[in-house]
């Protein structure tokens, strides 16, 4: 094999290796970024799952036909099994 071809192959292999290493080192993990992974390891089986917690959702005004609404549509399948309480008095959208 000619030295020029051998050098090209070696350069290509090295480039692929470096690219692969860079990709492996830079993979983002939001759990690690926000400390969730460390907290989960610290708490182990005692880590709360979030069941029974109340959640507050605040939305900007959105047009629903001719009416502006502040409330999500409780009939939407995404809210199945959840309770939505409208404190604004606005129509559901």
């Amino acid at each position: 094999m000619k030295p020029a071809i051998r050098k090209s192959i070696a350069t290509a292999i090295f480039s692929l290796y470096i690219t692969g290493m860079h990709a492996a080192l830079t993979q983002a993990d939001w759990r690690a970024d926000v400390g969730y992974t460390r907290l989960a390891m610290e708490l182990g089986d005692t880590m709360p799952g979030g069941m029974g917690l109340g959640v507050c959702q605040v939305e900007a005004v959105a047009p629903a036909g001719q009416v502006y609404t502040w409330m999500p549509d409780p009939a939407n399948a995404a809210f199945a099994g959840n309770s939505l309480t409208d404190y604004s008095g606005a129509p559901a959208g």
Side-chain angles (χ1 to χ4, degrees), residues 3-7 21 24 29-30 33-35 39 43 45-46 56-57 59 61 65 71 80 85 93:
I5 294 174
R6 192 175 308 151
K7 184 177 179 183
M21 290 299 292
D29 182 8
W30 69 268
D33 291 346
V34 300
L39 179 65
L43 295 178
D45 291 339
T46 63
C56 178
Q57 177 180 342
E59 292 194 12
V61 67
M71 178 73 181
T85 305

Side-chain angles (χ1 to χ4, degrees), residues 12-82:
I13 291 171
F14 179 74
S15 296
L16 289 173
Y17 174 75
I18 293 298
T19 303
M21 290 299 292
H22 177 70
L25 293 173
T26 59
Q27 285 184 339
D29 182 8
W30 69 268
R31 289 175 185 89
D33 291 346
V34 300
Y36 178 87
T37 306
R38 193 170 103 199
L39 179 65
M41 287 188 330
E42 218 174 281
L43 295 178
D45 291 339
T46 63
M47 176 90 161
M51 294 298 293
L53 295 177
V55 176
C56 178
Q57 177 180 342
V58 179
E59 292 194 12
V61 67
Q66 298 295 320
V67 179
Y68 284 93
T69 180
W70 298 84
M71 178 73 181
D73 184 0
N76 188 317
F79 300 116
N82 294 296

